[in-house]
Amino acid sequence: MIRVGVVGYGTIGKRVADAISKQRDMVLEGVAKTRPSYEAAAAVEKGLRLFVPPSEADKFEKAGIRVSGTIEDLVKSVDVVVDATPGGVGAQNRESLYSRLGVKAVFQGGEKADVAEVSFNALANYGQAIGKRYIRVVSCNTTAILRIAAALRLWNIGIERMRVFIARRGADPKEHKKGPINDFVLDPPAIPSHHALDVKSVLPDIDIVTASIATPVTIAHVHFVYAVLGSGVSREEVLEALYRTPRIAVFEPGRGFTSVAQVIEWARDAGRPRGDVPENIVFRDTVSVSGRELFMVMAVHQESIVVPENVDAIRAAAGFKDVWKSIRLTDESLGLVTEGKRYG
Ligand code: NAD
């Protein structure tokens, strides 16, 4: 059993903690939080052990939230920490905690690439992460792009170049102080956006440019993907590659899927935890091939897409060598779309 702790219990941390609890080869020793909140209370109420900074323990007790020890106690008791704190905090934790206590750590995409020995996407470069001490799971948008690039490569569809135009969600649903609420913000106000560089942190040889705007939406990002493929590739071959690759869900128009909100509603109806969709959401009839040009529209459920990659990164850090077995264990435990399946 791999003993795991989650430091930072917010949007990503709580989902990763739930996913770890579902793995047969992992045990969740506890989660760490710095301030008392409804999220901390919910963690304890569902039976998780909560670890906090010693200076803050009184505040938790006053708020009626049971504490099981200090964050250092948690880190000392595990083989791998998943750090899901806000961007930049992970790098500080690496120095003050993980490095000092000699514990392996998986970081998130809000950290700079140099926080870890390897930036990670399971389909693209699992092998490079095996046994590494520090692994960084790239951000939600980057994860989605890498899955598509990896799928095409996996099924021998060469990509000469890739261009991705991203309409970002303005905030996560719980973030009541963030915007925009009535604007399209250039984010960043230049092209390329940082996403291309982030993709290259995993696949350095890819020719990619990305551009991004922020929109007044909280449910998902949307990507317009354009790629120039090798010659002689048909639309059917591209669709087959998408169908066969884990963590890519192709939504069929026959069941009325014409918007992202409908897909999230489908996930709620299907009883998925929190209405999450960790797969890439590809709309089938947007996948079109004209000569060597590929176009498609996909959505990215930012709150959950990196969860399966975090689980695989834990296994890689622990030295588990079989990428396909790890992906299968993760996806089956989370009830994700498995190979060859499609919706509609
Ligand atoms: P969040 O703000 O929802 O959660 C972060 C949690 O960490 C909060 O509960 C906060 O109280 C806690 N925290 C802060 N400092 C801490 C410390 N020193 N020790 C322990 N806990 C601490 O943030 P999030 O959206 O979950 O993002 C976490 C990371 O995941 C970031 O790197 C982010 O870039 C990345 N990420 C976020 C998304 C997304 O859409 N939300 C998607 C992919 C990746």
Side-chain angles (χ1 to χ4, degrees):
M1 295 294 266
I2 310 168
R3 297 169 304 159
V4 191
V6 174
V7 173
Y9 191 76
T11 300
I12 301 299
K14 60 187 163 187
R15 288 173 167 82
V16 171
D18 285 352
I20 292 164
S21 303
K22 291 181 177 161
Q23 306 310 307
R24 279 178 295 169
D25 55 343
M26 296 179 194
V27 57
L28 179 67
E29 295 290 350
V31 301
K33 221 173 162 353
T34 42
R35 276 188 298 275
S37 68
Y38 63 92
E39 286 168 317
V44 174
E45 278 157 22
K46 70 178 358 184
L48 300 184
R49 300 204 305 150
L50 182 69
F51 296 83
V52 308
S55 57
E56 305 300 306
D58 278 358
K59 291 182 192 152
F60 282 83
E61 299 292 353
K62 271 188 199 137
I65 303 171
R66 195 176 61 254
V67 167
S68 294
T70 67
I71 297 181
E72 188 158 330
D73 293 336
L74 174 64
V75 174
K76 274 184 190 158
S77 71
V78 299
D79 304 304
V80 182
V81 167
V82 174
D83 187 299
T85 56
V89 177
Q92 293 167 20
N93 284 344
R94 189 187 73 172
E95 294 318 306
S96 61
L97 278 171
Y98 316 139
S99 156
R100 183 166 60 79
L101 299 173
V103 172
K104 294 185 174 188
V106 172
F107 298 97
Q108 308 305 312
E111 300 299 322
K112 292 188 178 141
D114 65 8
V115 76
E117 293 153 277
V118 61
S119 287
F120 177 83
N121 174 266
L123 287 167
N125 72 337
Y126 184 99
Q128 290 172 14
I130 296 168
K132 288 286 189 296
R133 197 163 165 195
Y134 300 129
I135 299 173
R136 169 180 168 264
V137 173
V138 292
S139 78
C140 42
N141 287 302
T142 311
T143 295
I145 296 169
L146 282 163
R147 285 186 190 162
I148 297 296
L152 297 177
R153 287 181 172 195
L154 202 60
W155 301 100
N156 297 317
I157 298 174
I159 315 171
E160 193 178 289
R161 56 183 182 274
M162 203 170 176
R163 310 287 182 246
V164 185
F165 308 101
I166 303 171
R168 299 178 63 176
R169 57 90 175 103
D172 286 342
K174 74 172 184 185
E175 291 176 317
H176 62 289
K177 289 184 183 167
K178 278 194 179 173
I181 56 169
N182 184 26
D183 205 349
F184 298 95
V185 181
L186 303 174
D187 181 28
I191 296 176
S193 67
H194 68 277
H195 306 95
L197 206 61
D198 210 25
V199 170
K200 281 169 172 288
S201 72
V202 176
L203 293 179
D205 61 329
I206 196 165
D207 177 344
I208 182 164
V209 178
T210 53
S212 164
I213 58 165
T215 63
V217 165
T218 63
I219 53 173
H221 308 294
V222 167
H223 291 196
F224 289 75
V225 179
Y226 168 80
V228 176
L229 308 175
S231 51
V233 179
S234 68
R235 173 175 189 260
E236 286 61 41
E237 286 172 288
V238 172
L239 276 173
E240 207 50 37
L242 300 178
Y243 284 137
R244 284 173 181 271
T245 305
R247 300 178 187 170
I248 295 177
V250 180
F251 286 83
E252 313 276 325
R255 290 198 177 172
F257 288 116
T258 55
S259 87
V260 180
Q262 291 172 324
V263 174
I264 303 297
E265 185 69 3
W266 162 84
R268 291 176 180 151
D269 289 347
R272 286 184 164 214
R274 301 185 176 92
D276 284 349
V277 187
E279 301 95 334
N280 286 34
I281 299 164
V282 174
F283 292 95
R284 191 195 68 187
D285 283 4
T286 67
V287 177
S288 104
V289 174
S290 168
R292 291 173 56 201
E293 294 181 319
L294 164 68
F295 302 88
M296 81 171 88
V297 178
M298 68 179 174
V300 178
H301 187 233
Q302 78 281 353
E303 296 174 284
S304 66
I305 187 171
V306 298
V307 171
E309 267 69 13
N310 269 277
V311 175
D312 292 331
I314 294 166
R315 284 203 189 88
F320 189 88
K321 291 199 173 60
D322 187 337
V323 52
W324 295 112
K325 189 165 179 201
S326 178
I327 287 176
R328 190 167 288 278
L329 285 171
T330 304
D331 291 6
E332 284 180 2
S333 70
L334 301 181
L336 303 189
V337 169
T338 49
E339 220 175 293
K341 274 180 76 179
R342 61 192 77 178
Y343 292 121

